[in-house]
Amino acid sequence: MAEIPHFDIRNLTIAYGDVIIQEKLDFTINRGEVFVIMGGSGCGKSTLLRHLVGLMEPSIGDIFVDGVNLWQSSSEERNQIISRNGVLYQGGALWSSMTLAENIALPLTEYTDLKQKQIADVIAYKLSLVGLAGFEDYYPSEISGGMRKRAGLARAMALDPDILFFDEPSAGLDPVSSRLLDDLILELRDSLGATVVVVSHELASIFTVGDNSIFLDPNEKTIIATGSPKKLLETSDDPRVIQFLTRTT
Amino acid sequence: MIDGDVYGEEYSFSMSIDTTEKYQLIKTEDGLCLQLSGDWRFQSGIPDIDILLKHLINTQPVNLSFDCHRLENWDSGLMTFLVNLLKSCKQNNISVLQKTLPAGIHKLLQLSFAVPERKGARRAILGQPVLAKIGNVTIEMHRNWSDLLAFVGEIFFGFLNFLRGRARFRYSDLFFQIEAAGPSALLIITLISVLIGMILAFVGAVQLRLFGAEIFIANLVGLGMAREMGAMMTAIIMAGRTGAAYAAQLGTMQVNEEIDALKTMGISPIEFLVLPRLIALCLTMPLLCIYADFMGIIGGAIVSATMMDISFFQYFQQIQDFVPLKHFGVGIFKAGVFGVLVATAGCFRGLQCGRSASSVGFAATSAVVTSIVLIIVADAIITVICQIIGI
Ligand SMILES: Nc1ncnc2c1ncn2[C@@H]1O[C@H](COP(=O)(O)OP(=O)(O)OP(=O)(O)O)[C@@H](O)[C@H]1O
Ligand SMILES: [Mg+2]
């Protein structure tokens, strides 16, 4: 493939201080695919995500975004790359002093020249996409955990970013909303051509949306399997992967 | 395998090796059997495992089975006992016939051993030598100061952006912060300043009366409030009130990943969160200081009028004549500096906060401590400079 991958991760080691969480990570994320990061709880998925979105500097190794080395470029350039990401955090991370509408409006007022009316329309549309139509004037503390997560999703999509990072989007959602979320992810990929990176434990959703995946192991401290989740289920012979994908012990 | 002589009498009656009211260790044809009986809940007491383990290790049976038909109630007390037992049996190569346990207990045990302990997950902090601790604290302190310097640098650049009109923050935030810092602090500042003014007057009155120089009480209070106490007390109140609030607000945002969310939107937390707070405090503190000066002087007037028969008119005339405006200027300037310090310390501690609720509390506390230290040090420096340039 001659095309430059959207994300190219080379020999990445992620660590908190001296404590290595994962090492020797090598993988690529192609444009327009849904990429799933799997692995047991506490193996470093959220930490890896924080590296991919540029919040943490790698201890060792490089991250290339569209062929640009994220940490070799100037801080303005990096900020520019980073601000093109849409990120949904594990806890939603809505700004608690602002209403949902203001939360979604902030990136829009920062980066676009839309008028008040247009912004209001965009907010209403994004909220309806995640099933929160009419909740514009609620503060994050006034809605439930699952709703906060969905509102966070609406904010992540505010600028129609071409790459979205979701940290456990379906945790805390009921089965129906979680199905709708999968549909939304596929829709983002198919109609907007967005790349979506998902950290997920939800098997049903992993198999429905995942085009490609990596599997992290906390003991090996590295990737123990890569490929499409469906393929992995059929072909992998690693008991840890099979265990995860079939929910057996 | 068990030598009858070694175990003497114990062994001779009914093959029992170790007996308590909760369990009996009995010899079987190919090993030992642990008979559990009675109530095995924490509240009814769990027997000490060491004696049992000693017996097991001494006898080295091929396998260990269980007999639980007399076991009544049990809870995690029994489970922890069994987990410890299983662990030591494994160490000593004694095979345990877990199947002989009731199904429920067997399942729970299996679950507790299903995920092996992660390599290197357990921390070995205990037993760190004192020298290492001192070293770590020193490194930590050093890092703290260089972080603070970096933070001040970032604020400086943020401020330059602000002056060029390019800083990204919402003016509504600035007004909100001004309101939160200023008007709502008036009540407490009134109370404290009036009291401080009265205290100054009291202390001075006793001494000045000896010389019959009561009227100079006005100079004392006026000068004290204008140059020192007005700014200092305002700063300390604001450190406890607003500085701590800033640390807690930003700390909570750090915990909720809200700061990360800002960063990934390409919005600098320094510009968006710190600048409005800093500017708000820098603007309100001088105003609060003027107010505090005035309130303190009124406090002094009350004492002079009631205790020393100095009329309000005389008192204020004296202040007007002998406390020139420049002294108020020094105090107001100090207040502005203190405002910057309080806001910087509060925001710095808040952004430095870890990811737990307790670290928010710690951030708020250390914000107040840092502010007060900075305030006093800055006050000393400004006083010396004023002395040198003769203000
Ligand atoms: N701030 C921190 N400082 C030090 N270690 C940390 C910190 N945050 C997380 N860790 C460690 O990093 C490891 C990975 O954490 P991370 O949050 O990335 O896990 P995760 O894979 O996202 O788990 P989950 O699926 O439960 O969300 C954990 O073992 C944790 O102990
Ligand atoms: Mg996580």
Side-chain angles (χ1 to χ4, degrees), chain B residues 30-353:
Chain B
D30 58 348
L32 290 176
C33 176
L34 186 63
Q35 275 188 343
L36 302 173
S37 55
D39 191 350
W40 274 79
R41 288 181 298 186
F42 273 125
Q43 71 216 46
S44 63
I46 300 298
D48 189 10
I49 196 171
D50 290 339
I51 305 161
L52 176 65
L53 287 180
K54 220 165 78 195
H55 281 290
L56 277 175
I57 292 166
N58 281 339
T59 48
Q60 282 291 338
V62 179
N63 60 39
L64 177 70
S65 57
F66 296 92
D67 174 5
C68 297
H69 70 270
R70 274 190 290 169
L71 179 63
E72 288 158 20
N73 294 319
W74 55 273
D75 64 3
S76 299
L78 174 61
M79 297 312 297
T80 50
F81 185 86
L82 288 177
V83 166
N84 285 337
L85 181 63
L86 257 59
K87 277 186 186 156
S88 353
C89 283
K90 202 169 166 202
Q91 275 170 12
N92 293 294
N93 293 322
I94 302 169
S95 78
V96 179
L97 304 174
Q98 288 190 40
K99 290 265 163 54
T100 54
L101 283 165
I105 297 178
H106 179 50
K107 270 266 166 57
L108 284 174
L109 276 180
Q110 270 189 329
L111 276 183
S112 79
F113 287 104
V115 180
E117 187 167 309
R118 192 179 299 173
K119 277 178 269 167
R122 206 174 284 276
R123 295 195 166 139
I125 295 177
L126 291 170
Q128 211 180 28
V130 179
L131 272 180
K133 270 187 199 156
I134 295 175
N136 280 338
V137 170
T138 315
I139 292 172
E140 185 61 32
M141 255 161 63
H142 174 75
R143 200 172 288 155
N144 233 328
W145 282 105
S146 49
D147 281 355
L148 183 58
L149 270 183
F151 183 73
V152 170
E154 281 181 68
I155 290 184
F156 180 73
F157 280 110
F159 198 73
L160 284 189
N161 272 347
F162 169 72
L163 292 183
R164 277 183 277 164
R166 288 219 321 248
R168 284 175 173 155
F169 67 78
R170 305 189 309 167
Y171 282 87
S172 60
D173 268 353
L174 177 59
F175 295 127
F176 175 78
Q177 295 299 346
I178 288 180
E179 194 196 332
S184 35
L186 282 182
L187 204 65
I188 177 132
I189 289 191
T190 311
L191 178 72
I192 301 285
S193 307
V194 169
L195 288 179
I196 290 285
M198 291 173 84
I199 292 169
L200 281 181
F202 264 123
V203 174
V206 179
Q207 297 296 318
L208 290 174
R209 192 174 282 159
L210 296 179
F211 307 104
E214 280 105 329
I215 186 64
F216 285 102
I217 202 75
N219 303 30
L220 178 72
V221 174
L223 208 64
M225 285 312 293
R227 274 195 87 111
E228 282 296 335
M229 295 315 279
M232 176 74 88
M233 290 323 288
T234 317
I236 287 179
I237 291 169
M238 296 308 273
R241 213 180 158 273
T242 310
Y246 288 174
Q249 285 162 7
L250 300 198
T252 315
M253 292 186 74
Q254 188 73 267
V255 173
N256 292 337
E257 300 181 304
E258 291 174 43
I259 307 266
D260 292 340
L262 276 179
K263 282 188 199 156
T264 43
M265 292 263 167
I267 299 170
S268 149
I270 302 281
E271 287 178 16
F272 195 78
L273 298 171
V274 178
L275 269 193
R277 289 174 167 77
L278 188 87
I279 295 170
L281 262 197
C282 192
L283 289 180
T284 45
M285 283 274 278
L287 296 179
L288 289 175
C289 171
I290 296 174
Y291 178 76
D293 290 349
F294 188 62
M295 284 297 138
I297 289 172
I298 288 183
I302 295 172
V303 172
S304 332
T306 51
M307 281 187 47
M308 281 167 292
D309 299 324
I310 299 171
S311 74
F312 280 127
F313 178 76
Q314 270 179 305
Y315 179 87
F316 282 108
Q317 190 61 48
Q318 181 77 6
I319 287 185
Q320 206 173 0
D321 293 345
F322 290 94
V323 187
L325 217 49
K326 70 171 187 192
H327 294 305
F328 286 92
V330 171
I332 292 165
F333 170 74
K334 276 184 186 173
V337 173
F338 295 162
V340 173
L341 293 179
V342 169
T344 309
C347 294
F348 173 66
R349 293 299 183 193
L351 288 179
Q352 216 188 19
C353 176

Side-chain angles (χ1 to χ4, degrees), chain A residues 41-42 44-47 90 167-168 199 201:
Chain A
S41 186
K45 302 181 297 294
S46 301
T47 313
Q90 200 160 355
D167 196 348
E168 299 192 19
V199 170
H201 295 303

Side-chain angles (χ1 to χ4, degrees), chain A residues 50 89 94-96 110-111, chain B residues 168 257-258 260 264-265:
Chain A
R50 292 169 59 79
Y89 293 86
L94 295 169
W95 297 305
S96 46
E110 281 300 320
Y111 291 104
Chain B
R168 284 175 173 155
E257 300 181 304
E258 291 174 43
D260 292 340
T264 43
M265 292 263 167

